[in-house]
Amino acid sequence: MPKKTDDEWEPDPRGDFPRKVGKWRNRAGKIELRKFKFGRNKNQAKARLARVRELWTFVEQAVELRIQDRSQPVNPYSFDPPNHVEPIWNGDALWIALQLARGKVQIEVTRADESDNSFALKVNQLAAAYPCVVFVPEDSASFDEGTDQLRQAAEFDLRRIHRAAPNILPELAESLFETLDVYVANIRKRDVEATPDGETLTAFGSHKISNVDNIKAHQNDRPIASLDLDGCQDLIDYWRMRPLTIDKRIDPPRQMGKRTCENKIAELGRFFKWLHKNKAFSWRKPEDFDDLKTRVMDLQEERTSIVSMTKRTGYLPSELAVINKHATPLERLLLLLALNCGFKGAEQGTLLLDHLFLNEPHPNRQYLRELCGYEVQAADQFILYKRNKSMVYGEFLLWPQTVKLLEWALMQRKAVVQKYDLNHRNVLITKAGTLYYRQTLGSKNSSQIFTNKWQALIKRVRKSEPDFPYFSFSTLRDTASDAVRQKADGEVSSTFLLHGQPVKSDDLLDLYTKRPFAKLFETQRLLQSEFQPIFDAAPEKIDEQPMQQYTTLDKREQIVELKKEGKTVTEIMEATGVSRMTVIRTLDRLYFKRKKSNSN
């Protein structure tokens, strides 16, 4: 019988959803699969099953690590004696699994007849033994008192030993979270760049701070004195094993993506390096630090999955035509810059006046003619751009529609610059005089204006076509590069994407040769003719601001067509289901004015 998936999961006769996870030693001393019951609500049962599976994966991984390093002591809370190599549920591990199966998200540790410091030690030992589980003390006051006693005792021992051997044992009383806070403060101070608005946190700096926030949200605090080789490996292993998401919007939780976990491990590496060099802390990298294992594990279903190869992740040309039809001039410019040049928000927001060659010849036209066989035509206009993130240089032949919208944007920009007396060189500036691509006031993320504009546009399209698909603004870059590759080859596509190394087998090629921009220009000319239906979908005046859209575009077009057929206002009202004033207002703006303009 093939194994049933979780979607085919059926309850037992009592209504519970059971599942066997891991192995245990039964009362007869025999090792067998351990059966758990996960409740009677299927969605809740799936979430509980995922948490128990994560704990079992941790048990298996811990046994595997112990087998690889026989010198390490056995965890007294979970595992069998050293001569037993098969992972099983045992001790606290089974107790925790049963709690998770019952739906406990936080495991409450009860206090027995023990002192405050013994109770605090028990809670901390459980947290250290099972970093994938959240433990809370039953008696928080006793726990806090015991933790304070343990801290004072540790500081006393450290001072005593330090007096006896000052050059051997460092004073490490700080906690991991306290040290991470200092690390973040250093990022905010060092990872900045000069902008017309003053020093601003870089995008990479924001990325690092976000990583630290995630590390603190997932992992338990601990003294940095515990960060010996095993302590560092423990922090890294948590991410290597790809923990479950804690975002409440993801239900049931799933294992984190491999790239996400790799980012957290990379951040821990940067933190350890900073901590080692910081004179304010006595912590130093332990011996064999470079031998830490950092590889994030793969999931079998990911390795064999064909979803990424078969699932559509971007818009088709016919859908892009619909989008262009509904767009405002600004939205249309963002769309065409993405298709024409492969620019996402970061590139569009950092596009400068110096990058535009709209009414001047290409600076390397003679080279293109004599060495590349490409003749720059009089009507050809270009963007010559250097990517802000990687400083990779690129050139793009602009389509006439892109040029016209850029000229419109420059006129809008001129009015804003004069109004606020700005010295920005950026092409895209808001009506309020701010840059389109900038750090928000919270210094967390770059401006979301591109995403917001795109979402508003698709929302407007869906008023006319409710089932219209949604793909993010960044997928336009993928759509454009795929179109380039289908017409040319991988090297031209990488040149279009401003990749640092278009030819993977030769990392020195760019030092001695120019990139095949002529081939890219020829490809863009071919795409211009293929994308003509997209351009044709836009109104005749592509830089004209559309009327305020209380009525959907398809409804307005229907009103105009019915008028052309000779229908009266009343008949149009009945056919379209809109009010008399809406019909009159639409005809006045879109039919009579246009008719009068054509007659003139």
Side-chain angles (χ1 to χ4, degrees), residues 102-152:
R102 295 188 186 107
K104 297 289 186 181
V105 178
Q106 296 180 335
I107 307 300
E108 186 177 71
V109 182
T110 58
R111 183 186 180 189
D113 186 15
E114 55 193 341
S115 63
D116 291 342
N117 56 3
S118 296
F119 177 55
L121 182 62
K122 179 172 68 174
V123 175
N124 289 326
Q125 286 177 333
L126 284 170
Y130 303 99
C132 58
V133 180
V134 177
F135 295 94
V136 293
E138 174 195 36
D139 187 343
S140 58
S142 296
F143 173 78
D144 293 339
E145 180 64 27
T147 301
D148 188 59
Q149 293 175 9
L150 290 174
R151 180 185 59 78
Q152 293 179 18

Short mmCIF file of all heavy atoms in Angstrom, two decimals, residues 102-152:
data_model
loop_
_atom_site.label_atom_id
_atom_site.label_comp_id
_atom_site.label_asym_id
_atom_site.label_seq_id
_atom_site.Cartn_x
_atom_site.Cartn_y
_atom_site.Cartn_z
N ARG A 102 -0.49 17.33 22.07
CA ARG A 102 -1.73 17.81 22.68
C ARG A 102 -2.02 19.26 22.32
O ARG A 102 -3.02 19.82 22.76
CB ARG A 102 -1.65 17.65 24.20
CG ARG A 102 -1.56 16.20 24.67
CD ARG A 102 -1.69 16.11 26.19
NE ARG A 102 -1.46 14.76 26.64
CZ ARG A 102 -0.37 14.35 27.30
NH1 ARG A 102 0.59 15.23 27.57
NH2 ARG A 102 -0.24 13.10 27.68
N GLY A 103 -1.11 19.88 21.60
CA GLY A 103 -1.35 21.25 21.15
C GLY A 103 -0.60 22.31 21.92
O GLY A 103 -0.83 23.51 21.70
N LYS A 104 0.28 21.92 22.82
CA LYS A 104 1.04 22.91 23.57
C LYS A 104 2.08 23.56 22.66
O LYS A 104 2.91 22.87 22.06
CB LYS A 104 1.75 22.25 24.77
CG LYS A 104 0.81 21.64 25.80
CD LYS A 104 0.06 22.71 26.58
CE LYS A 104 -0.77 22.12 27.70
NZ LYS A 104 -1.51 23.15 28.46
N VAL A 105 2.04 24.88 22.56
CA VAL A 105 3.05 25.61 21.78
C VAL A 105 4.23 25.99 22.68
O VAL A 105 5.38 25.97 22.26
CB VAL A 105 2.43 26.88 21.15
CG1 VAL A 105 3.48 27.67 20.38
CG2 VAL A 105 1.29 26.49 20.23
N GLN A 106 3.92 26.30 23.93
CA GLN A 106 4.95 26.56 24.94
C GLN A 106 4.84 25.49 26.02
O GLN A 106 3.75 25.23 26.54
CB GLN A 106 4.77 27.94 25.56
CG GLN A 106 4.95 29.09 24.57
CD GLN A 106 4.77 30.44 25.24
OE1 GLN A 106 4.10 30.56 26.25
NE2 GLN A 106 5.38 31.46 24.67
N ILE A 107 5.95 24.84 26.34
CA ILE A 107 5.96 23.75 27.30
C ILE A 107 6.22 24.33 28.69
O ILE A 107 7.26 24.96 28.92
CB ILE A 107 7.03 22.70 26.96
CG1 ILE A 107 6.85 22.24 25.51
CG2 ILE A 107 6.94 21.53 27.92
CD1 ILE A 107 5.53 21.62 25.20
N GLU A 108 5.28 24.13 29.58
CA GLU A 108 5.43 24.65 30.94
C GLU A 108 6.22 23.67 31.78
O GLU A 108 5.88 22.48 31.87
CB GLU A 108 4.05 24.89 31.56
CG GLU A 108 4.10 25.56 32.92
CD GLU A 108 2.73 25.86 33.48
OE1 GLU A 108 2.04 24.89 33.87
OE2 GLU A 108 2.34 27.03 33.52
N VAL A 109 7.28 24.15 32.41
CA VAL A 109 8.13 23.33 33.27
C VAL A 109 7.67 23.54 34.71
O VAL A 109 7.72 24.66 35.23
CB VAL A 109 9.62 23.71 33.12
CG1 VAL A 109 10.49 22.81 33.98
CG2 VAL A 109 10.04 23.64 31.66
N THR A 110 7.21 22.46 35.33
CA THR A 110 6.71 22.56 36.69
C THR A 110 7.86 22.53 37.69
O THR A 110 8.92 21.95 37.43
CB THR A 110 5.73 21.42 37.00
OG1 THR A 110 6.41 20.17 36.79
CG2 THR A 110 4.52 21.49 36.08
N ARG A 111 7.59 23.14 38.83
CA ARG A 111 8.61 23.17 39.88
C ARG A 111 8.32 22.08 40.91
O ARG A 111 7.22 22.01 41.47
CB ARG A 111 8.64 24.54 40.56
CG ARG A 111 9.74 24.65 41.61
CD ARG A 111 9.65 25.96 42.36
NE ARG A 111 10.71 26.05 43.35
CZ ARG A 111 10.79 27.00 44.27
NH1 ARG A 111 9.84 27.93 44.32
NH2 ARG A 111 11.78 27.02 45.13
N ALA A 112 9.31 21.21 41.15
CA ALA A 112 9.17 20.18 42.16
C ALA A 112 9.68 20.74 43.49
O ALA A 112 9.82 21.95 43.67
CB ALA A 112 9.95 18.93 41.74
N ASP A 113 9.96 19.86 44.39
CA ASP A 113 10.49 20.28 45.70
C ASP A 113 11.98 20.57 45.54
O ASP A 113 12.84 19.74 45.85
CB ASP A 113 10.25 19.18 46.73
CG ASP A 113 10.66 19.63 48.13
OD1 ASP A 113 10.85 20.85 48.32
OD2 ASP A 113 10.80 18.75 49.00
N GLU A 114 12.28 21.75 45.01
CA GLU A 114 13.66 22.10 44.69
C GLU A 114 13.87 23.59 44.92
O GLU A 114 12.93 24.37 44.98
CB GLU A 114 13.98 21.75 43.23
CG GLU A 114 13.01 22.36 42.25
CD GLU A 114 13.11 21.77 40.86
OE1 GLU A 114 14.15 21.15 40.56
OE2 GLU A 114 12.15 21.92 40.08
N SER A 115 15.13 23.96 45.03
CA SER A 115 15.47 25.35 45.28
C SER A 115 15.26 26.19 44.03
O SER A 115 15.08 25.66 42.92
CB SER A 115 16.93 25.46 45.73
OG SER A 115 17.80 25.01 44.69
N ASP A 116 15.28 27.52 44.22
CA ASP A 116 15.08 28.41 43.08
C ASP A 116 16.16 28.22 42.01
O ASP A 116 15.86 28.16 40.81
CB ASP A 116 15.09 29.88 43.56
CG ASP A 116 13.87 30.21 44.40
OD1 ASP A 116 12.89 29.46 44.33
OD2 ASP A 116 13.92 31.22 45.12
N ASN A 117 17.42 28.11 42.44
CA ASN A 117 18.48 27.98 41.44
C ASN A 117 18.44 26.62 40.75
O ASN A 117 18.77 26.51 39.57
CB ASN A 117 19.86 28.27 42.05
CG ASN A 117 20.16 27.37 43.24
OD1 ASN A 117 19.37 26.50 43.58
ND2 ASN A 117 21.32 27.58 43.86
N SER A 118 18.00 25.57 41.46
CA SER A 118 17.86 24.26 40.81
C SER A 118 16.74 24.29 39.77
O SER A 118 16.86 23.70 38.68
CB SER A 118 17.58 23.17 41.85
OG SER A 118 18.67 23.03 42.74
N PHE A 119 15.67 24.97 40.11
CA PHE A 119 14.56 25.10 39.17
C PHE A 119 14.98 25.88 37.93
O PHE A 119 14.70 25.49 36.80
CB PHE A 119 13.39 25.78 39.87
CG PHE A 119 12.21 26.04 38.98
CD1 PHE A 119 11.60 25.02 38.25
CD2 PHE A 119 11.69 27.33 38.84
CE1 PHE A 119 10.51 25.27 37.43
CE2 PHE A 119 10.61 27.58 38.03
CZ PHE A 119 10.01 26.55 37.32
N ALA A 120 15.68 27.01 38.14
CA ALA A 120 16.16 27.80 37.00
C ALA A 120 17.14 27.01 36.16
O ALA A 120 17.11 27.07 34.92
CB ALA A 120 16.82 29.09 37.51
N LEU A 121 18.00 26.22 36.82
CA LEU A 121 18.96 25.39 36.09
C LEU A 121 18.25 24.35 35.24
O LEU A 121 18.62 24.10 34.08
CB LEU A 121 19.91 24.72 37.08
CG LEU A 121 21.03 23.86 36.47
CD1 LEU A 121 21.95 24.71 35.60
CD2 LEU A 121 21.83 23.16 37.56
N LYS A 122 17.17 23.76 35.77
CA LYS A 122 16.42 22.75 35.02
C LYS A 122 15.80 23.36 33.77
O LYS A 122 15.87 22.78 32.67
CB LYS A 122 15.34 22.14 35.91
CG LYS A 122 14.49 21.08 35.21
CD LYS A 122 13.57 20.37 36.17
CE LYS A 122 12.49 21.26 36.71
NZ LYS A 122 11.49 20.53 37.53
N VAL A 123 15.19 24.53 33.91
CA VAL A 123 14.56 25.18 32.75
C VAL A 123 15.61 25.53 31.70
O VAL A 123 15.42 25.29 30.50
CB VAL A 123 13.81 26.45 33.20
CG1 VAL A 123 13.25 27.19 31.98
CG2 VAL A 123 12.68 26.11 34.16
N ASN A 124 16.74 26.07 32.13
CA ASN A 124 17.79 26.45 31.19
C ASN A 124 18.41 25.24 30.51
O ASN A 124 18.77 25.29 29.33
CB ASN A 124 18.87 27.26 31.91
CG ASN A 124 18.39 28.65 32.29
OD1 ASN A 124 17.60 29.25 31.58
ND2 ASN A 124 18.86 29.16 33.42
N GLN A 125 18.55 24.13 31.25
CA GLN A 125 19.10 22.92 30.65
C GLN A 125 18.16 22.35 29.60
O GLN A 125 18.60 21.88 28.54
CB GLN A 125 19.39 21.88 31.73
CG GLN A 125 20.62 22.20 32.57
CD GLN A 125 20.85 21.20 33.69
OE1 GLN A 125 19.91 20.57 34.18
NE2 GLN A 125 22.10 21.06 34.09
N LEU A 126 16.87 22.40 29.86
CA LEU A 126 15.90 21.94 28.86
C LEU A 126 15.96 22.82 27.61
O LEU A 126 15.91 22.33 26.48
CB LEU A 126 14.49 21.95 29.45
CG LEU A 126 14.14 20.82 30.41
CD1 LEU A 126 12.80 21.09 31.09
CD2 LEU A 126 14.09 19.48 29.68
N ALA A 127 16.04 24.13 27.83
CA ALA A 127 16.10 25.05 26.69
C ALA A 127 17.37 24.82 25.87
O ALA A 127 17.35 24.91 24.64
CB ALA A 127 16.06 26.50 27.19
N ALA A 128 18.49 24.52 26.54
CA ALA A 128 19.74 24.26 25.82
C ALA A 128 19.70 22.93 25.10
O ALA A 128 20.25 22.78 24.00
CB ALA A 128 20.91 24.29 26.81
N ALA A 129 19.04 21.92 25.74
CA ALA A 129 18.98 20.58 25.13
C ALA A 129 18.04 20.54 23.94
O ALA A 129 18.26 19.80 22.99
CB ALA A 129 18.55 19.56 26.18
N TYR A 130 16.97 21.38 23.97
CA TYR A 130 15.97 21.36 22.90
C TYR A 130 15.72 22.79 22.41
O TYR A 130 14.71 23.42 22.75
CB TYR A 130 14.66 20.75 23.41
CG TYR A 130 14.83 19.36 23.96
CD1 TYR A 130 14.94 19.15 25.33
CD2 TYR A 130 14.92 18.26 23.11
CE1 TYR A 130 15.11 17.87 25.83
CE2 TYR A 130 15.09 16.99 23.61
CZ TYR A 130 15.19 16.79 24.97
OH TYR A 130 15.37 15.53 25.46
N PRO A 131 16.62 23.35 21.61
CA PRO A 131 16.48 24.75 21.16
C PRO A 131 15.30 24.96 20.23
O PRO A 131 14.91 26.10 19.98
CB PRO A 131 17.81 25.02 20.46
CG PRO A 131 18.34 23.67 20.07
CD PRO A 131 17.88 22.74 21.15
N CYS A 132 14.70 23.88 19.72
CA CYS A 132 13.56 24.02 18.81
C CYS A 132 12.24 24.12 19.56
O CYS A 132 11.18 24.25 18.94
CB CYS A 132 13.51 22.84 17.83
SG CYS A 132 13.39 21.23 18.65
N VAL A 133 12.28 24.07 20.91
CA VAL A 133 11.08 24.10 21.72
C VAL A 133 11.13 25.32 22.64
O VAL A 133 12.20 25.69 23.14
CB VAL A 133 10.94 22.81 22.56
CG1 VAL A 133 9.67 22.84 23.41
CG2 VAL A 133 10.94 21.58 21.66
N VAL A 134 9.97 25.93 22.87
CA VAL A 134 9.88 27.07 23.78
C VAL A 134 9.42 26.57 25.14
O VAL A 134 8.36 25.95 25.26
CB VAL A 134 8.90 28.13 23.24
CG1 VAL A 134 8.77 29.28 24.24
CG2 VAL A 134 9.36 28.64 21.90
N PHE A 135 10.21 26.82 26.18
CA PHE A 135 9.88 26.41 27.54
C PHE A 135 9.57 27.65 28.37
O PHE A 135 10.22 28.68 28.23
CB PHE A 135 11.05 25.66 28.19
CG PHE A 135 11.37 24.34 27.51
CD1 PHE A 135 12.35 24.27 26.53
CD2 PHE A 135 10.70 23.18 27.86
CE1 PHE A 135 12.64 23.09 25.90
CE2 PHE A 135 10.99 21.97 27.23
CZ PHE A 135 11.96 21.92 26.26
N VAL A 136 8.57 27.53 29.23
CA VAL A 136 8.23 28.62 30.16
C VAL A 136 8.15 28.04 31.56
O VAL A 136 7.64 26.93 31.76
CB VAL A 136 6.89 29.29 29.78
CG1 VAL A 136 7.00 30.01 28.46
CG2 VAL A 136 5.76 28.27 29.72
N PRO A 137 8.67 28.76 32.56
CA PRO A 137 8.62 28.23 33.92
C PRO A 137 7.23 28.38 34.51
O PRO A 137 6.52 29.37 34.27
CB PRO A 137 9.64 29.10 34.65
CG PRO A 137 9.66 30.39 33.89
CD PRO A 137 9.42 30.03 32.46
N GLU A 138 6.82 27.38 35.29
CA GLU A 138 5.53 27.45 35.98
C GLU A 138 5.52 28.59 36.98
O GLU A 138 4.54 29.33 37.09
CB GLU A 138 5.26 26.12 36.68
CG GLU A 138 4.01 26.10 37.55
CD GLU A 138 3.99 24.91 38.49
OE1 GLU A 138 5.07 24.51 38.97
OE2 GLU A 138 2.89 24.39 38.72
N ASP A 139 6.61 28.75 37.70
CA ASP A 139 6.74 29.79 38.71
C ASP A 139 7.79 30.79 38.21
O ASP A 139 8.99 30.59 38.41
CB ASP A 139 7.16 29.17 40.04
CG ASP A 139 7.14 30.17 41.19
OD1 ASP A 139 7.13 31.39 40.91
OD2 ASP A 139 7.15 29.74 42.36
N SER A 140 7.34 31.85 37.54
CA SER A 140 8.27 32.80 36.94
C SER A 140 9.09 33.55 37.99
O SER A 140 10.26 33.86 37.77
CB SER A 140 7.53 33.79 36.04
OG SER A 140 6.55 34.49 36.78
N ALA A 141 8.49 33.81 39.13
CA ALA A 141 9.22 34.53 40.17
C ALA A 141 10.38 33.70 40.70
O ALA A 141 11.50 34.20 40.87
CB ALA A 141 8.26 34.91 41.32
N SER A 142 10.13 32.41 40.96
CA SER A 142 11.21 31.53 41.41
C SER A 142 12.28 31.37 40.33
O SER A 142 13.47 31.32 40.63
CB SER A 142 10.64 30.15 41.78
OG SER A 142 9.75 30.26 42.88
N PHE A 143 11.82 31.29 39.09
CA PHE A 143 12.78 31.17 37.98
C PHE A 143 13.68 32.40 37.91
O PHE A 143 14.90 32.28 37.76
CB PHE A 143 12.03 30.97 36.67
CG PHE A 143 12.92 30.99 35.46
CD1 PHE A 143 13.69 29.89 35.12
CD2 PHE A 143 12.99 32.12 34.65
CE1 PHE A 143 14.51 29.91 33.99
CE2 PHE A 143 13.81 32.16 33.54
CZ PHE A 143 14.56 31.04 33.22
N ASP A 144 13.09 33.59 37.99
CA ASP A 144 13.88 34.82 37.93
C ASP A 144 14.86 34.89 39.09
O ASP A 144 16.02 35.28 38.93
CB ASP A 144 12.96 36.04 37.95
CG ASP A 144 12.13 36.16 36.68
OD1 ASP A 144 12.53 35.55 35.67
OD2 ASP A 144 11.09 36.85 36.71
N GLU A 145 14.39 34.51 40.29
CA GLU A 145 15.27 34.53 41.46
C GLU A 145 16.40 33.52 41.31
O GLU A 145 17.57 33.82 41.61
CB GLU A 145 14.45 34.21 42.72
CG GLU A 145 15.26 34.20 44.01
CD GLU A 145 15.85 35.56 44.36
OE1 GLU A 145 15.26 36.58 43.93
OE2 GLU A 145 16.89 35.61 45.04
N GLY A 146 16.06 32.32 40.83
CA GLY A 146 17.09 31.30 40.62
C GLY A 146 18.08 31.70 39.55
O GLY A 146 19.29 31.45 39.68
N THR A 147 17.59 32.31 38.47
CA THR A 147 18.49 32.77 37.40
C THR A 147 19.45 33.82 37.93
O THR A 147 20.65 33.81 37.60
CB THR A 147 17.67 33.34 36.24
OG1 THR A 147 16.79 32.34 35.73
CG2 THR A 147 18.58 33.82 35.11
N ASP A 148 18.95 34.72 38.76
CA ASP A 148 19.81 35.75 39.34
C ASP A 148 20.86 35.12 40.26
O ASP A 148 22.03 35.54 40.26
CB ASP A 148 18.96 36.75 40.11
CG ASP A 148 19.77 37.96 40.57
OD1 ASP A 148 20.34 38.64 39.70
OD2 ASP A 148 19.82 38.21 41.79
N GLN A 149 20.47 34.09 41.02
CA GLN A 149 21.43 33.40 41.89
C GLN A 149 22.51 32.70 41.06
O GLN A 149 23.70 32.74 41.41
CB GLN A 149 20.70 32.39 42.77
CG GLN A 149 19.77 33.01 43.81
CD GLN A 149 18.98 31.97 44.58
OE1 GLN A 149 19.24 30.77 44.46
NE2 GLN A 149 18.00 32.43 45.36
N LEU A 150 22.10 32.06 39.98
CA LEU A 150 23.07 31.38 39.12
C LEU A 150 24.03 32.39 38.49
O LEU A 150 25.24 32.13 38.37
CB LEU A 150 22.34 30.60 38.02
CG LEU A 150 21.55 29.37 38.46
CD1 LEU A 150 20.77 28.80 37.28
CD2 LEU A 150 22.48 28.29 39.03
N ARG A 151 23.48 33.54 38.06
CA ARG A 151 24.34 34.55 37.47
C ARG A 151 25.35 35.07 38.47
O ARG A 151 26.54 35.22 38.16
CB ARG A 151 23.47 35.70 36.94
CG ARG A 151 24.27 36.83 36.28
CD ARG A 151 23.35 38.00 35.90
NE ARG A 151 22.67 38.54 37.05
CZ ARG A 151 23.24 39.36 37.94
NH1 ARG A 151 24.52 39.73 37.80
NH2 ARG A 151 22.55 39.82 38.96
N GLN A 152 24.90 35.35 39.69
CA GLN A 152 25.81 35.84 40.72
C GLN A 152 26.89 34.80 41.04
O GLN A 152 28.06 35.15 41.23
CB GLN A 152 25.03 36.21 41.98
CG GLN A 152 24.11 37.41 41.81
CD GLN A 152 23.34 37.72 43.07
OE1 GLN A 152 23.71 37.28 44.16
NE2 GLN A 152 22.26 38.50 42.93
#
